[in-house]
Amino acid sequence: MLSTMQDVPLTVNRILAHGRLVHGRSQVTTWTGEGEPQRRSFAEVGARAVQLAHALRDGLGVRGDDRVATLMWNNAEHVETYFAIPAMGAVLHTLNLRLPAEQLTWIVNHAADRVIIVNGSLIPFLAPLLPHLKTVEHVVVSGPGDRAPLEGSHAQVHEYEDLIADKPTTYDWPEPDERQAAAMCYTSGTTGDPKGVVYSHRSIYLHSMQVNMAESMGLTDRDTSLIVVPQFHVNAWGLPHATFMTGVGMLMPDRFLQPGPLAEMIEREKPTHAAAVPTIWQGLLAELNARPRDISALTQVTIGGSACPASLMEAFDRLGVRVCHAWGMTETSPLGTVAHPPAHAIGTEEEFGYRLTQGRFPAGVEARLTGPNGERLPWDGRSAGELEVRGPWIAGAYYNGPDAEPLRPADKFTEDGWLKTGDVGTISPDGYLTLTDRAKDVIKSGGEWISSVALENALMAHPDVAEAAVVAVPDDKWGERPLATVVLKEGATADFEALRTFLAEEGGIAKWQLPERWTVVTAVPKTSVGKFDKKVLRRQYAEGELDVTRI
Amino acid sequence: MLSTMQDVPLTVNRILAHGRLVHGRSQVTTWTGEGEPQRRSFAEVGARAVQLAHALRDGLGVRGDDRVATLMWNNAEHVETYFAIPAMGAVLHTLNLRLPAEQLTWIVNHAADRVIIVNGSLIPFLAPLLPHLKTVEHVVVSGPGDRAPLEGSHAQVHEYEDLIADKPTTYDWPEPDERQAAAMCYTSGTTGDPKGVVYSHRSIYLHSMQVNMAESMGLTDRDTSLIVVPQFHVNAWGLPHATFMTGVGMLMPDRFLQPGPLAEMIEREKPTHAAAVPTIWQGLLAELNARPRDISALTQVTIGGSACPASLMEAFDRLGVRVCHAWGMTETSPLGTVAHPPAHAIGTEEEFGYRLTQGRFPAGVEARLTGPNGERLPWDGRSAGELEVRGPWIAGAYYNGPDAEPLRPADKFTEDGWLKTGDVGTISPDGYLTLTDRAKDVIKSGGEWISSVALENALMAHPDVAEAAVVAVPDDKWGERPLATVVLKEGATADFEALRTFLAEEGGIAKWQLPERWTVVTAVPKTSVGKFDKKVLRRQYAEGELDVTRI
């Protein structure tokens, strides 16, 4: 029996129309580095988004599901593209301006972008790539920056403001099917080609509602959100859509992402909320310690991307700023969990522990843990497994080019359609996630998992150890066993037996998890962002480059 | 181009599973009138809902989209039915226990309910109807009350607790299409047969998210909601679903709806939120004035159903309780608007005015105003038109029996599928609705509307007038003109010219809107709920029963 409810699709168009009309007074404020910031009301942003859609359609011939890419900082124009492109039925493709040139080239060609909208300040990055971007017919430039490097390009070059000037501010939008593509974003995995995640109108709409739910960020038009997390990174955690839906002010740092300008914009513009990765907050904290500012308006800070150290959380607590952990990934739109403590823990000594978890799942994100042998693990706060998730704003495949079927690699999606997050952790009985390892870094020994991170943390607590990395190496009997790689402090000598005893007696490591293989290195190899590069260690071991002692 | 998002339906099943698991500690507390209330955790309620589903399927043979009706107060068992019935694929049909017996009989037969779950205390109401309820095969009784009146019925009688005892607490639910029927509720219009609104899994899920958004009620597991609005009335404004989704505690008054018990439950159980119609709050306020209680936990009260008088809002403000207006109807699930003032008005003299409006539309509710000649009216805060709404939790038709096509009467739905609310009002440029009249009560004069309510309010401000009702009567020249029906205060004499002058000079009524037809009556006819019965006045006029003076 069908319901008698109206069949109204959940679309980005609806968010645009609503924010422009009902929240027309709310503002997108973009930092300009000097003087007054640029202030644009939602009414203006909405009208300009409509003008942009006309310009793309009539001026540049964008049609159907053409991809229109952006290579932009967080600013009002980038917000305009967020609404114009999906509303006209095309697909917004946000390009990560931190990627190596070859990867970005690969991505633009794979998505077959027809247009790139670029901030003037990023032309020096785009121009050398442009000859390799065969599908790109038009480049639209917004904001200050020398245009000269684009001269002689195969693509037509346009000025954003010229293009939208005098265009109509109403548009007879198509009403898209809510499952149609609205936006896409590539993840740059550590191995293999980048993978495209394609968000639907439906997923963006539902995700926006979830962000605005009181249990998540709970923002209203009384709030202003400082959106530091880049718009090219999972749609800035969905914040431009979510804030436009409910009239939350947006404070956009543009290219001014250094601690000084950030502290200044907080003091001057008084955002109530902010969203960024931990490193940004580390820098801001140092800045505030060096040059104290009035940041009293800021009450809630959402931290994601990687785990927030307890010390950072405590430091912000002392400043009266409530830091709230969240977990997600490009494939989860990204809201997966938010770490507001449960009611029963508030005011107890459990509260801080809950805040250090990755957070609690909302109703829209189903979660399960899968053990090393594919078994389903209980939510007991102890059993560690790979996190798999399911829900209406979670990817079930990757984009595989304009004419190909979506890609569903078996290491990323289960047979029943759940996303394998590649994260290993535990879930408490009340639904709080604690991540401990990346799945590729755990050691599968005799059908059980050994946490490399737990071994590393225990080792690094020893007074002789400066740094330690543990990786899985092949073992005839157990499948895999841990190899402990240790950097000693100056003056210390290697005593593997003593370290092993220390792990068991002080580190709480179970006997069967203790490494037999040990090696001393002068430094742990690191990736460009400073993480342990375990791929390198595994290769060095395989090729016999390490001097391994077996005990 | 399709997105790569998972295709996961929005279902009541998901709310049930999530609330039971992640918010298992949250509680449904049911008032028992004496001693301790009944306390049941979401984990228990969820498990019992699953047991009920088994009982309905295996014990009573409920299949497919069978309708299972409830005739119950607000209590934990009623919450269990909210989840069990839709999750198993059947349709929950909540029966309004305030309806006249004939109307309820008509409704049960129209819905072809196979089962009725009834509270023991309501058996005296159900038993005399039962012989006329031909489709009802089973009656399930929950809670105290004499069962004897059900003896000899054609339906089998069961005890709720016996039925669910020992049933499994897991169930391999079907995964319903999100547009499938989940629940239904009949509206009892003042004319014609009652009309059935059928909610879908999707509409319930989306509405629950909206209720929990910070811009609406914004509740979390730190809240407890006193749900006074009956569960048979638009799913208690969607609160049982919304609270189960986010772990908000439910405080249920069962049959103890008098001001004394309500004040006692607020003082003892400390809800942070409450939802009810204005008359309940009027009674509670009188009770609190007579016997002050500690109600300091209660910070937010949602009032809907009819407009909240300013005096009542101010009285609660003085008690530290923030009253928030909301507007909706059975056809809108019901959340249509919520009257949190906009950010720019907070702390200004405009703030209270915004709180007295019906409130602001969320993104999920599109609204437009249609004038007397079908023209679209601007959102200027002045132009009054009939409110039409569109959205994923708004009805587009009525149920028309098990085998018939849905009903789309032209006075209820526009050709393009919008709901005609039957309410007349204005919308401000920032999306706040102010209702002034029911569409059937406005006077259409020469292609313009005259507000009967504005005339009545202006008339009642005159010192000689005790009560006044204005209705439309036919007019050869103008189509319709207003008839002013006046009840004079004791000792006053009728001077219609003076009243007419008063309307123009003191009441601010435009000249063309002033009534020519006047009559004095001893009392304005009223409906059973105390509203002016304008049908009766129009009939009396038509049949020449009124002594009308024309000036």
Side-chain angles (χ1 to χ4, degrees):
Chain A
M1 166 172 160
L2 285 178
S3 85
T4 63
M5 293 290 110
Q6 295 177 15
D7 196 3
V8 175
L10 309 174
T11 64
V12 173
N13 307 50
R14 185 84 276 281
I15 301 175
L16 167 58
H18 179 75
R20 180 184 178 187
L21 183 62
V22 170
H23 299 292
R25 290 194 193 210
S26 296
Q27 288 198 327
V28 183
T29 304
T30 305
W31 205 247
T32 53
E34 47 191 20
E36 268 298 285
Q38 179 211 67
R39 298 182 197 281
R40 203 169 278 166
S41 71
F42 281 15
E44 291 170 289
V45 166
R48 287 167 51 93
V50 171
Q51 292 180 305
L52 176 59
H54 281 288
L56 292 172
R57 188 185 60 179
D58 303 336
L60 311 190
V62 170
R63 288 289 178 276
D65 61 5
D66 282 350
R67 268 73 63 206
V68 177
T70 58
L71 187 67
M72 300 173 84
W73 304 103
N74 289 14
N75 51 43
E77 292 78 15
H78 207 172
V79 174
E80 289 157 14
T81 70
Y82 265 47
F83 292 104
I85 297 165
M88 68 189 289
V91 182
L92 167 76
H93 178 198
T94 52
L95 299 175
N96 183 343
L97 53 89
R98 307 278 183 212
L99 286 186
E102 316 74 58
Q103 228 175 80
L104 204 67
T105 303
W106 188 94
I107 286 171
V108 171
N109 287 325
H110 188 259
D113 298 326
R114 282 191 65 193
V115 178
I116 295 183
I117 306 177
V118 64
N119 276 139
S121 56
L122 294 167
I123 289 175
F125 177 50
L126 176 65
L129 275 60
L130 204 47
H132 310 289
L133 309 180
K134 302 302 183 191
T135 61
V136 175
E137 299 164 27
H138 301 276
V139 173
V140 181
V141 188
S142 165
D146 183 13
R147 272 66 170 157
L150 294 174
E151 280 167 23
S153 157
H154 71 282
Q156 287 186 50
V157 178
H158 313 262
E159 285 293 327
Y160 186 96
E161 294 300 328
D162 295 349
L163 214 55
I164 71 169
D166 306 322
K167 290 287 183 301
T169 57
T170 59
Y171 194 118
D172 190 15
W173 302 115
E175 184 154 270
D177 183 290
E178 66 185 38
R179 286 178 167 80
Q180 239 179 265
M184 65 193 303
C185 191
Y186 280 75
T187 64
S188 49
T190 42
T191 55
D193 290 326
K195 308 231 170 17
V197 175
V198 185
Y199 307 103
S200 63
H201 284 263
R202 171 183 167 98
S203 72
I204 289 173
Y205 194 101
L206 292 170
H207 186 269
S208 299
M209 291 185 82
Q210 183 64 51
V211 168
N212 286 315
M213 280 171 66
E215 67 171 0
S216 299
M217 300 188 203
L219 303 174
T220 72
D221 69 343
R222 288 181 292 272
D223 291 296
T224 294
S225 181
L226 169 59
I227 305 176
V228 185
V229 55
Q231 286 191 255
F232 58 74
H233 181 67
V234 212
N235 301 322
W237 298 349
L239 282 165
H241 300 118
T243 52
F244 215 77
M245 181 181 258
T246 54
V248 180
M250 293 181 232
L251 176 57
M252 295 303 209
D254 199 78
R255 62 192 185 278
F256 305 97
L257 296 165
Q258 307 74 26
L262 288 177
E264 197 188 338
M265 57 189 100
I266 294 171
E267 182 169 49
R268 279 179 47 189
E269 297 295 325
K270 306 198 184 314
T272 57
H273 173 258
V277 297
T279 47
I280 293 282
W281 299 113
Q282 296 277 21
L284 185 68
L285 195 65
E287 167 71 23
L288 290 172
N289 285 334
R291 277 169 295 277
R293 308 286 218 298
D294 174 11
I295 62 159
S296 57
L298 189 63
T299 53
Q300 193 197 159
V301 159
T302 306
I303 293 196
S306 58
C308 172
S311 57
L312 183 61
M313 209 176 265
E314 286 162 338
F316 274 102
D317 280 354
R318 286 192 293 272
L319 292 173
V321 178
R322 178 80 171 192
V323 165
C324 182
H325 243 179
W327 168 85
M329 47 203 290
T330 304
E331 289 86 340
T332 65
S333 288
L335 198 148
T337 56
V338 179
H340 293 298
H344 67 80
I346 289 176
T348 76
E349 54 188 24
E350 283 185 290
E351 182 173 358
F352 197 70
Y354 273 106
R355 291 178 59 199
L356 288 176
T357 69
Q358 268 60 47
R360 179 161 59 182
F361 297 98
V365 182
E366 280 175 89
R368 66 187 187 195
L369 293 176
T370 300
N373 305 308
E375 74 279 24
R376 201 75 66 238
L377 297 176
W379 290 19
D380 57 10
R382 290 187 311 274
S383 307
E386 181 176 1
L387 175 66
E388 298 175 355
V389 290
R390 175 176 184 264
W393 57 81
I394 292 171
Y398 291 117
Y399 183 65
N400 198 17
D403 302 312
E405 284 294 298
L407 209 62
R408 290 191 181 78
D411 63 329
K412 283 299 196 170
F413 302 99
T414 66
E415 276 179 29
D416 57 351
W418 293 52
L419 172 72
K420 297 167 83 163
T421 63
D423 280 319
V424 170
T426 62
I427 302 178
S428 70
D430 47 0
Y432 283 79
L433 172 70
T434 300
L435 293 181
T436 51
D437 286 84
R438 289 290 298 166
K440 62 182 167 44
D441 294 333
V442 292
I443 299 132
K444 191 174 171 184
S445 170
E448 301 277 347
W449 271 345
I450 301 174
S451 164
S452 62
V453 175
L455 286 171
E456 288 161 2
N457 289 343
L459 271 172
M460 288 194 276
H462 190 280
D464 287 349
V465 177
E467 229 171 23
V470 177
V471 297
V473 296
D475 183 276
D476 286 344
K477 183 168 176 196
W478 300 104
E480 289 180 357
R481 290 295 297 165
L483 163 71
T485 313
V486 177
V487 181
L488 293 172
K489 285 198 180 147
E490 228 180 272
T493 50
D495 182 346
F496 298 137
E497 284 288 356
L499 288 175
R500 198 176 141 100
T501 306
F502 177 82
L503 284 183
E505 291 181 359
E506 305 295 321
I509 304 294
K511 191 155 177 292
W512 67 271
Q513 300 187 334
L514 297 173
E516 301 81 19
R517 295 170 180 84
W518 294 78
T519 186
V520 167
V521 292
T522 50
V524 175
K526 304 243 169 62
T527 67
S528 58
V529 295
K531 292 183 180 176
F532 288 171
D533 197 342
K534 297 191 175 181
K535 273 199 317 295
V536 173
L537 280 177
R538 281 190 290 261
R539 185 186 49 72
Q540 288 176 339
Y541 177 84
E543 295 176 1
E545 294 174 12
L546 299 176
D547 177 19
V548 175
T549 303
R550 215 172 149 135
I551 57 173
Chain B
M1 166 172 160
L2 285 178
S3 86
T4 64
M5 293 290 112
Q6 295 178 14
D7 195 4
V8 175
L10 310 174
T11 64
V12 172
N13 306 50
R14 184 85 277 278
I15 302 175
L16 168 58
H18 180 74
R20 181 184 177 187
L21 183 62
V22 169
H23 299 292
R25 288 193 194 209
S26 296
Q27 290 200 325
V28 182
T29 305
T30 306
W31 205 247
T32 52
E34 48 191 19
E36 268 296 287
Q38 179 212 68
R39 298 182 197 282
R40 205 169 276 166
S41 71
F42 281 16
E44 291 170 290
V45 166
R48 287 168 52 93
V50 172
Q51 292 181 304
L52 175 60
H54 281 289
L56 291 172
R57 188 185 61 179
D58 303 336
L60 311 190
V62 171
R63 287 289 177 279
D65 61 7
D66 282 350
R67 269 72 64 206
V68 178
T70 58
L71 187 66
M72 301 173 83
W73 304 103
N74 289 16
N75 51 44
E77 291 78 15
H78 207 172
V79 174
E80 289 158 14
T81 70
Y82 265 47
F83 291 103
I85 297 165
M88 67 189 290
V91 182
L92 167 75
H93 178 198
T94 51
L95 299 175
N96 181 343
L97 53 88
R98 306 279 183 212
L99 285 186
E102 316 75 58
Q103 229 174 79
L104 204 68
T105 303
W106 188 93
I107 286 171
V108 172
N109 287 326
H110 188 260
D113 297 327
R114 279 191 66 192
V115 179
I116 295 182
I117 306 177
V118 64
N119 276 138
S121 57
L122 294 167
I123 289 176
F125 177 50
L126 177 64
L129 274 61
L130 203 47
H132 309 289
L133 309 179
K134 302 303 183 190
T135 61
V136 175
E137 298 165 28
H138 302 276
V139 173
V140 181
V141 187
S142 166
D146 182 12
R147 273 63 171 157
L150 294 174
E151 280 169 24
S153 155
H154 71 281
Q156 286 186 51
V157 178
H158 312 264
E159 285 293 327
Y160 186 97
E161 294 300 328
D162 295 349
L163 213 56
I164 71 169
D166 307 321
K167 289 289 184 297
T169 57
T170 59
Y171 194 118
D172 190 14
W173 303 116
E175 184 155 88
D177 183 289
E178 67 185 39
R179 287 178 166 80
Q180 238 177 265
M184 66 194 302
C185 191
Y186 281 73
T187 64
S188 48
T190 43
T191 55
D193 290 327
K195 309 232 170 13
V197 174
V198 184
Y199 308 103
S200 63
H201 284 263
R202 171 182 167 97
S203 72
I204 289 173
Y205 194 100
L206 291 170
H207 186 268
S208 299
M209 291 185 83
Q210 182 64 51
V211 167
N212 286 316
M213 281 170 66
E215 65 170 1
S216 299
M217 301 188 201
L219 303 173
T220 73
D221 69 342
R222 288 182 291 273
D223 291 296
T224 294
S225 179
L226 169 59
I227 304 176
V228 185
V229 55
Q231 285 191 256
F232 58 74
H233 181 66
V234 211
N235 301 322
W237 297 350
L239 282 164
H241 299 118
T243 52
F244 215 77
M245 182 180 258
T246 54
V248 181
M250 293 181 231
L251 176 56
M252 295 301 209
D254 200 79
R255 63 191 184 279
F256 305 98
L257 296 166
Q258 308 73 27
L262 287 177
E264 197 186 337
M265 56 189 99
I266 294 171
E267 181 168 50
R268 279 178 49 189
E269 297 295 324
K270 306 197 185 314
T272 57
H273 172 259
V277 295
T279 48
I280 293 281
W281 299 112
Q282 296 279 21
L284 185 68
L285 195 65
E287 168 70 22
L288 291 171
N289 285 334
R291 275 168 296 276
R293 309 285 219 297
D294 174 12
I295 62 159
S296 56
L298 190 63
T299 53
Q300 191 197 161
V301 158
T302 307
I303 293 196
S306 57
C308 173
S311 58
L312 183 60
M313 210 176 263
E314 287 163 337
F316 273 102
D317 279 355
R318 285 191 292 273
L319 292 172
V321 178
R322 178 82 170 190
V323 165
C324 182
H325 243 179
W327 168 84
M329 47 203 290
T330 304
E331 288 87 340
T332 65
S333 289
L335 197 148
T337 55
V338 180
H340 294 298
H344 67 80
I346 289 176
T348 75
E349 54 188 22
E350 282 185 290
E351 181 172 359
F352 197 70
Y354 274 106
R355 291 178 59 199
L356 287 177
T357 70
Q358 267 61 46
R360 178 161 61 182
F361 297 98
V365 181
E366 280 174 88
R368 67 187 186 196
L369 293 176
T370 299
N373 305 308
E375 75 278 23
R376 200 78 65 237
L377 298 175
W379 290 18
D380 57 10
R382 290 186 311 274
S383 306
E386 182 175 359
L387 174 67
E388 299 175 355
V389 289
R390 175 175 184 266
W393 57 81
I394 292 171
Y398 291 117
Y399 182 65
N400 197 18
D403 302 312
E405 285 293 297
L407 207 62
R408 289 190 182 80
D411 64 330
K412 284 298 195 169
F413 303 99
T414 66
E415 275 179 29
D416 58 350
W418 292 53
L419 173 72
K420 297 167 83 161
T421 63
D423 280 318
V424 169
T426 62
I427 302 177
S428 70
D430 48 0
Y432 283 80
L433 172 70
T434 300
L435 293 181
T436 51
D437 287 83
R438 288 292 296 166
K440 62 181 168 43
D441 294 333
V442 291
I443 298 133
K444 191 173 171 183
S445 171
E448 300 278 348
W449 270 345
I450 300 174
S451 164
S452 62
V453 174
L455 286 171
E456 288 161 2
N457 289 341
L459 272 174
M460 288 193 276
H462 190 281
D464 287 348
V465 176
E467 230 172 21
V470 176
V471 297
V473 294
D475 183 277
D476 287 343
K477 183 169 175 196
W478 301 103
E480 289 181 358
R481 290 295 298 163
L483 163 72
T485 313
V486 178
V487 179
L488 293 171
K489 285 197 180 148
E490 228 180 274
T493 50
D495 182 346
F496 297 137
E497 285 288 357
L499 289 175
R500 199 176 140 100
T501 306
F502 177 82
L503 284 183
E505 292 181 0
E506 306 293 324
I509 303 295
K511 191 155 177 289
W512 67 272
Q513 300 187 335
L514 296 174
E516 301 82 19
R517 295 172 180 83
W518 294 78
T519 184
V520 168
V521 293
T522 51
V524 175
K526 305 241 171 61
T527 67
S528 58
V529 296
K531 292 183 180 175
F532 288 171
D533 197 341
K534 297 191 176 181
K535 273 199 318 294
V536 173
L537 280 177
R538 282 190 289 261
R539 184 186 50 71
Q540 288 176 338
Y541 177 84
E543 295 176 1
E545 292 173 14
L546 298 176
D547 177 19
V548 175
T549 303
R550 214 170 152 139
I551 57 173

